[in-house]
Amino acid sequence: MAAEKGGRDGGVQSLQRAFELLEHLADTGGEASLSELATLSGLPMPTIHRLIRTLVDLGYVRQNTNRRYALGARLIRLGENASMQFGSWARPLLVELVEEVGETANLAVLERDEVVYVAQVPSKHSMRMFTEVGRRLLPHGTGVGKAMLAQLPADDVAALLRRTGMPAYTEHTFTDPSSLAAELTRIASQGYALDEAEQELGVRCIAVAVPGMPVPAAVSVSGPSGRLTADAVASIAPVVQKIADRLSQQLPVT
């Protein structure tokens, strides 16, 4: 019986280590060498090699031509399904947000250096904002993205921006890291982010990071700039903050 129990424990430990390696790959931007993984994980090289080969065989990791290892395509389906389930669970609170403020509500997560919209409830206005669920954008050019970046360590944000660059969606998009850093400091201080036609001309967005999530997430309200005036922003931002707090409290994150 003791030997059997030890085998099970070994299996659980291997599973834990395999997931930790996947997370280390994600933390490095999705690609690393075996020696880098050994440094990050503290595991001996033979253990790293055995786990990585298993993950490669299963399709969760791939080996690039430069002999570095990267996250595999099989993870995409798992991540997308998890994101959609996350959005479905949040939908009742997004409905409540739309009913209270009258504008379109969105939920997004940060996945592989990109903002992914996982849920949306449109407003009842004839002129309203639509963002396709599943759409991916770079975080520096969106309200939800900036809200999430404002919660991350500055070094992590800088590394992300080096990987993605800062292309302009409109003439209002932040394209300078220093200017964006000042903007993120302001967002962290005031508790919400504004997208001032940075992703789409004529559109304003109020976004708040959802605290306590295992992955960065943010909820937002978006609409035409003519309706989302400065006065409207002042009254809507506290409502978005309230919904973000309730999402944090109610979503199953354990």
Side-chain angles (χ1 to χ4, degrees):
M1 291 295 291
E4 182 180 351
K5 182 177 185 298
R8 287 200 301 267
D9 288 347
V12 170
Q13 186 181 61
S14 293
L15 183 62
Q16 177 181 342
R17 287 173 169 178
F19 277 110
E20 288 173 351
L21 287 180
L22 292 175
E23 291 181 355
H24 286 313
L25 277 174
D27 290 341
T28 61
E31 181 182 284
S33 67
L34 289 179
S35 60
E36 288 169 340
L37 290 173
T39 299
L40 289 168
S41 66
L43 295 174
M45 188 65 75
T47 301
I48 296 282
H49 190 268
R50 174 174 55 82
L51 292 172
I52 284 292
R53 289 314 312 168
T54 300
L55 291 169
V56 168
D57 291 342
L58 294 173
Y60 295 116
V61 170
R62 71 176 190 276
Q63 186 177 22
N64 292 334
T65 55
N66 60 4
R67 301 187 63 79
R68 293 168 66 83
Y69 291 89
L71 296 175
R74 197 168 181 183
L75 289 169
I76 295 174
R77 180 173 64 89
L78 298 180
E80 288 180 346
N81 284 330
S83 294
M84 294 308 111
Q85 288 294 321
F86 182 75
S88 297
W89 214 95
R91 186 175 176 83
L93 283 175
L94 296 184
V95 170
E96 184 177 325
L97 180 56
V98 173
E99 290 174 349
E100 190 161 352
V101 304
E103 300 292 350
T104 297
N106 312 281
L107 180 68
V109 298
L110 189 63
E111 182 180 284
R112 300 197 301 276
D113 290 348
E114 294 177 313
V115 166
V116 183
Y117 288 88
V118 296
Q120 181 181 83
V121 175
S123 81
K124 296 179 173 60
H125 291 291
S126 57
M127 182 181 292
R128 55 193 176 185
M129 302 301 105
F130 285 104
T131 298
E132 182 182 358
V133 172
R135 187 182 186 190
R136 292 176 173 270
L137 294 167
L138 295 180
H140 73 282
T142 67
V144 287
K146 292 192 300 179
M148 289 186 271
L149 292 181
Q151 304 299 307
L152 299 179
D155 289 346
D156 291 354
V157 174
L160 183 151
L161 295 176
R162 286 193 296 270
R163 294 191 295 267
T164 64
M166 297 180 66
Y169 290 116
T170 75
E171 63 264 37
H172 304 293
T173 308
F174 283 88
T175 56
D176 173 68
S178 297
S179 298
L180 180 62
E183 169 77 350
L184 297 181
T185 298
R186 183 164 51 250
I187 291 167
S189 176
Q190 70 184 8
Y192 63 89
L194 287 179
D195 171 356
E196 300 278 13
E198 297 159 41
Q199 196 271 312
E200 186 175 346
L201 291 175
V203 176
R204 181 169 283 130
C205 173
I206 308 160
V208 176
V210 181
M213 293 291 102
V215 296
V219 62
S220 71
V221 163
S222 56
S225 300
R227 281 204 309 262
L228 286 183
T229 61
D231 287 342
V233 168
S235 63
I236 290 174
V239 182
V240 183
Q241 291 171 320
K242 177 187 69 177
I243 293 296
D245 287 339
R246 290 178 60 194
L247 282 168
S248 177
Q249 296 163 10
Q250 295 182 27
L251 285 174
V253 299
T254 56

